[in-house]
Amino acid sequence: MIRIHLDELTLGRVRIAISPLWEAVSSLSLIIGSHSETPYPYVEWVRKTVPRISPLLRQELTALTRNEWSETSSSLTPIPKSSTPGFEEELLALRSVGHDKFAELIGDYWDAALAPYWSDMRNVLEEEILVRGRKLVTAGADRMLQDLGGQIRWDRPELSVPHQADLNWKMADGRLIIVSVLFARGTRFFATQDDAVAFSYQAQGSAVLSRHAINAGNTTNEVHRRDKLTNLLGRGRASVLKALLSPTTTTGLASCIGLAPSTVSQHLSVLSAAGLVRRLRVGPRVLYELEESGAALLAELGT
């Protein structure tokens, strides 16, 4: 666990970012560390991705990253310079600090493992930034930090972040960058640079990886017709729950799963009453997102 102590000036400079590089390194960690059963929703992604990665590439990347992951702050995941940096921009940042070999290898890994998925992943992550960012602006940093989930705890002035290291870190007049990562169930990353600190957290919507991988190998959008979730909730409600990859409108859900908006609205009302889905307003739009109980149900029965 890393305990970050924030003063008021730092609390006022919290920002959220996404990082293709952090996603790549986190997903690589998931593959290397998957000695037992792969967790939901990465099963299909791992099954389709691992055969595309040459054994030599995997061996070289494992050798380069092993020592880095044993350290508290990894230089392989430099702090994103903007909220939505491009992958090539981040590779240049790696090369600027002497990681030329790793930049070359992780570029090859990206092409095989994440490039086919990145468009869908980026859309989900940008929705995540929109929702978290609006909460930061309208409700303040305290509320946004409280709602990050994933065992992250905010008890002013201390932010407790799950991590493989045990560390107390004090920030005074600094910058805190929170990096939304769909693969944060692999290794959690923590990075420091000058007055800035960044850490990764599990973004909502990682089920997009499962849906993309499944749909890539099927001619129909309806898969696993009689899975356990469908048996429990019924096909319509199960489809709605699975489609909530990120905060989404009723119309967006209806378009995604091919149901009428009125039908989707009815399903959402039932799921909300059951405590599986919550409703939130972002400006003029009403969005729906998974409650933690809904995400847990998907993790248990959604495959």
Side-chain angles (χ1 to χ4, degrees):
M1 183 73 72
I2 293 180
R3 292 162 290 276
I4 308 172
H5 299 261
L6 308 177
D7 69 347
E8 289 297 323
L9 289 173
T10 303
L11 193 59
R13 297 195 186 104
V14 175
R15 70 175 176 86
I16 308 165
I18 64 177
S19 166
L21 178 60
W22 284 47
E23 288 286 3
V25 180
S26 297
S27 68
L28 175 65
S29 170
L30 183 73
I31 289 176
I32 292 174
S34 290
H35 301 301
S36 57
E37 185 177 352
T38 303
Y40 175 85
Y42 310 110
V43 178
E44 286 296 323
W45 176 82
V46 168
R47 185 175 69 83
K48 290 182 176 294
T49 296
V50 169
R52 294 200 295 261
I53 304 170
S54 73
L56 179 60
L57 176 60
R58 181 170 173 174
Q59 180 181 351
E60 289 183 302
L61 283 169
T62 301
L64 281 173
T65 55
R66 184 180 292 113
N67 290 335
E68 285 283 341
W69 286 341
S70 67
E71 301 295 329
T72 301
S73 179
S74 174
S75 61
L76 300 182
T77 51
I79 295 175
K81 295 185 180 299
S82 65
S83 294
T84 55
F87 186 59
E88 291 299 327
E89 174 187 345
E90 294 193 292
L91 291 184
L92 286 175
L94 276 177
R95 292 187 177 99
S96 71
V97 293
H99 287 304
D100 298 77
K101 181 62 174 178
F102 181 73
E104 177 185 350
L105 294 174
I106 202 69
D108 292 340
Y109 170 83
W110 171 271
D111 291 340
L114 289 186
Y117 301 86
W118 182 241
S119 178
D120 287 344
M121 291 173 64
R122 184 180 58 229
N123 290 339
V124 169
L125 289 164
E126 287 176 349
E127 286 282 356
E128 175 89 1
I129 285 186
L130 173 66
V131 172
R132 301 290 184 187
R134 184 169 183 84
K135 185 168 290 186
L136 178 63
V137 171
T138 60
D142 285 278
R143 180 60 185 276
M144 192 274 289
L145 292 173
Q146 288 169 358
D147 291 347
L148 285 177
Q151 299 183 334
I152 295 173
R153 298 289 180 266
W154 169 242
D155 186 11
R156 181 189 280 261
E158 183 178 279
L159 182 66
S160 299
V161 181
H163 196 271
Q164 54 271 22
D166 188 64
L167 179 70
N168 288 296
W169 193 275
K170 291 189 176 181
M171 297 190 69
D173 195 11
R175 296 177 295 123
L176 180 66
I177 296 92
I178 303 171
V179 184
S180 302
V181 175
L182 292 172
F183 282 97
R185 293 180 192 175
T187 301
R188 298 292 185 99
F189 289 105
F190 177 79
T192 62
Q193 183 178 351
D194 300 327
D195 65 339
V197 164
F199 68 87
S200 61
Y201 81 98
Q202 180 63 47
Q204 296 185 49
S206 55
V208 70
L209 295 157
S210 178
R211 187 183 73 173
H212 183 113
I214 291 172
N215 287 347
N218 288 273
T219 57
T220 175
N221 287 330
E222 188 178 4
V223 295
H224 297 313
R225 292 176 181 236
R226 301 308 302 169
D227 60 21
K228 293 179 181 178
L229 190 67
T230 298
N231 289 335
L232 178 66
L233 299 178
R235 186 174 298 167
R237 294 206 251 315
S239 296
V240 169
L241 202 66
K242 289 181 178 182
L244 277 173
L245 307 176
S246 61
T248 311
T249 63
T250 301
T251 303
L253 278 172
S255 175
C256 175
I257 62 180
L259 295 177
S262 58
T263 302
V264 171
S265 181
Q266 292 173 2
H267 290 324
L268 286 168
S269 295
V270 174
L271 294 170
S272 180
L276 301 175
V277 167
R278 61 173 168 259
R279 181 178 182 271
L280 66 156
R281 181 173 290 278
V282 180
R285 298 195 299 167
V286 174
L287 302 178
Y288 291 86
E289 64 180 356
L290 291 176
E291 291 277 13
E292 287 191 12
S293 55
L297 186 63
L298 273 177
E300 185 68 24
L301 302 179
T303 57

